[in-house]
Amino acid sequence: MTNVAEQWGINPQQFWLRGQRPEPVRFDPATGMWNVYGYPEVVKVLGDPATFSSDTMRVVPAGVLPRDRNMTEGNLVQMDEPDHKKLRRLVSEAFTPKVVADLEPRIAALTHELLDAAVERGRMELVADLAYPLPVIVIAELLGVPSSDRDLFKQWVDKMLEFAGQFSLVKKSAEQDRAIETALAQRKHLTEYLTAHATERARRPREDLLTKLVQAEVDGEHLSTNEVVNFATVLLIAGHITTTMLLGNTVLCLDAHPEHMARVRADRRRLPGAIEESLRFLSPFATLGRATTAEVELGGQQIPADKVLMVWIAAANRDERQFARPDEFDPTRDPNPHIGFGRGIHFCLGAPLARLEGRVALDILLSRFPDLRVDPEERPEFIPSPNMTGVRKLPLLLS
Ligand code: HEM
């Protein structure tokens, strides 16, 4: 069987896409971090947040990254209990299943609008024409910031994600330092932008998520502007890169497997299965960070306290101990317990939105273009970071 990762020219650092299976847990002296690759081991880490903390900044050696609490407070992803639970409950009240479900008609209308523009041009580059703008416009409208500013966000976020190397805690390099500096500068732009909007909402409330966050109370206390801004930053970044990757990857997978494309085209009820399998087969976020709070045994290895773990959910999603034929794209897998959205207390808050956007947009795309296929003359282009798997350019032929 041809390995599609090679056919597509995916970054060779993404070894798990090429059939390689490292031992489940391994220390890497080059990065100073413990890598967790195996499915049961990853599930154990994500299910025990007391031992495997999300507050990784606490153990990053001084001088590698600035330890600025102002940057992390309100960032759900990096918080532990009990603070995480309180904030998650609060934001879940603003980001309810109903809020998400009500977005369906808007997602459909936007998809049609974006596709109309592509049809007029007679060709399509999936990412620029649909997969990028759709989720960004949706999250911007939900938050209540002008979606017409999206080129600005794109510029900041793209620069933040430019670093294509492997981050190391022990070997500082000029390249890594430069990348961190650039990322921090871009984040500052985003923070200043969102602070201006959050401050304005405090004065003049509107019907948007930013206002709900400004007004929300946990145990009688409001979130600080800084917490609101850091959480909104997470949402805006998550809204940018993740669903974009999901849409691109799913089209790419279906195109490479014409028998599955035909089945999905014939019966759209098969689309959610294809989306879930795409999340397993090409997991957009390859790694999550954790830090041990105590010495712990994992996968036969003894890991000391206060060590950083790279938790490779993308590699775990290809573990043959969990998935039969892991390197085969099979949308009929049932059950499909992939962990592309994580697992446990930090399970992706945006998963219902990402799934809805994926289902609505791909359904419309397939309906409007019965002959849609990936341009055989132009290879897809992938995001260079080894920690992310997603196309950043996918030229399509419409007929
Ligand atoms: C958390 C993946 C879309 C917001 C996570 C985590 C993963 C993930 C793996 C767990 C992080 C951890 O355990 O450290 C994805 C993927 C997406 C997606 C693959 C799309 C295909 C979104 C969207 C939003 C979002 C669209 C918001 C609009 C969040 C938030 C968290 C999170 C706020 C933190 C939850 C917590 O810490 O309690 N996501 N995400 N995600 N995601 Fe997503």
Side-chain angles (χ1 to χ4, degrees), residues 207-225:
E207 279 296 310
D208 58 26
L209 189 56
L210 213 44
T211 305
K212 285 196 183 119
L213 292 170
V214 168
Q215 292 177 340
E217 280 181 34
V218 199
D219 297 343
E221 277 177 48
H222 286 289
L223 295 176
S224 68
T225 305

Side-chain angles (χ1 to χ4, degrees), residues 116-399:
D116 288 345
V119 173
E120 265 172 39
R121 285 192 302 272
R123 61 186 166 74
M124 192 188 315
E125 193 282 281
L126 185 78
V127 178
D129 293 339
L130 177 69
Y132 172 73
L134 175 69
V136 174
I137 295 174
V138 170
I139 195 70
E141 289 184 353
L142 196 62
L143 273 170
V145 299
S147 58
S148 53
D149 286 343
R150 64 181 185 271
D151 287 343
L152 271 181
F153 319 145
K154 181 165 167 53
Q155 194 184 312
W156 298 331
V157 176
D158 279 358
K159 273 199 194 154
M160 254 184 225
L161 303 174
E162 246 166 27
F163 186 44
Q166 192 61 265
F167 185 74
S168 173
L169 296 177
V170 285
K171 273 196 210 139
K172 281 175 58 95
S173 67
E175 196 200 356
Q176 177 170 309
D177 284 348
R178 236 188 342 267
I180 293 171
E181 208 175 291
T182 309
L184 290 173
Q186 303 314 311
R187 215 200 113 119
K188 192 157 176 272
H189 290 309
L190 198 51
T191 307
E192 283 168 0
Y193 175 87
L194 287 169
T195 304
H197 279 283
T199 315
E200 171 66 16
R201 290 312 175 281
R203 270 189 277 133
R204 265 181 248 136
R206 290 193 203 162
E207 279 296 310
D208 58 26
L209 189 56
L210 213 44
T211 305
K212 285 196 183 119
L213 292 170
V214 168
Q215 292 177 340
E217 280 181 34
V218 199
D219 297 343
E221 277 177 48
H222 286 289
L223 295 176
S224 68
T225 305
N226 200 31
E227 284 170 319
V228 169
V229 166
N230 283 340
F231 180 65
T233 304
V234 172
L235 285 186
L236 203 52
I237 296 179
H240 260 74
I241 47 176
T242 52
T243 312
T244 306
M245 292 192 270
L246 173 64
L247 292 171
N249 293 352
T250 309
V251 169
L252 195 56
C253 286
L254 285 173
D255 183 77
H257 300 86
E259 70 290 7
H260 291 306
M261 176 67 107
R263 296 174 78 177
V264 169
R265 278 191 177 282
D267 183 354
R268 287 315 147 68
R269 284 172 304 179
R270 295 184 198 271
L271 192 48
I275 290 173
E276 295 309 305
E277 179 65 347
S278 149
L279 286 162
R280 184 195 72 82
F281 190 75
L282 293 180
S283 312
F285 276 149
T287 51
L288 306 177
R290 293 293 188 269
T292 52
T293 57
E295 186 179 336
V296 61
E297 193 273 343
L298 187 70
Q301 303 278 344
Q302 210 56 33
I303 307 180
D306 300 331
K307 294 294 167 202
V308 177
L309 266 58
M310 288 295 258
V311 182
W312 295 80
I313 52 174
N317 277 333
R318 297 269 188 138
D319 188 337
E320 63 259 289
R321 290 174 296 168
Q322 180 64 37
F323 299 99
R325 302 165 283 104
D327 297 320
E328 206 177 293
F329 176 76
D330 177 7
T332 65
R333 275 178 207 278
D334 185 20
N336 184 351
H338 73 79
I339 42 177
F341 284 126
R343 163 115 14 137
I345 62 166
H346 290 278
F347 180 80
C348 177
L349 193 70
L353 176 58
R355 285 178 166 137
L356 180 69
E357 289 176 332
R359 181 175 57 73
V360 172
L362 293 172
D363 187 17
I364 295 172
L365 184 73
L366 296 182
S367 296
R368 289 191 56 171
F369 304 106
D371 300 317
L372 185 82
R373 64 201 164 98
V374 172
D375 187 343
E377 304 292 316
E378 278 193 76
R379 262 189 169 189
E381 214 177 90
F382 285 82
I383 295 171
S385 165
N387 302 100
M388 268 176 255
T389 307
V391 281
R392 64 174 179 188
K393 224 179 213 181
L394 185 57
L396 299 176
L397 299 179
L398 302 182
S399 57

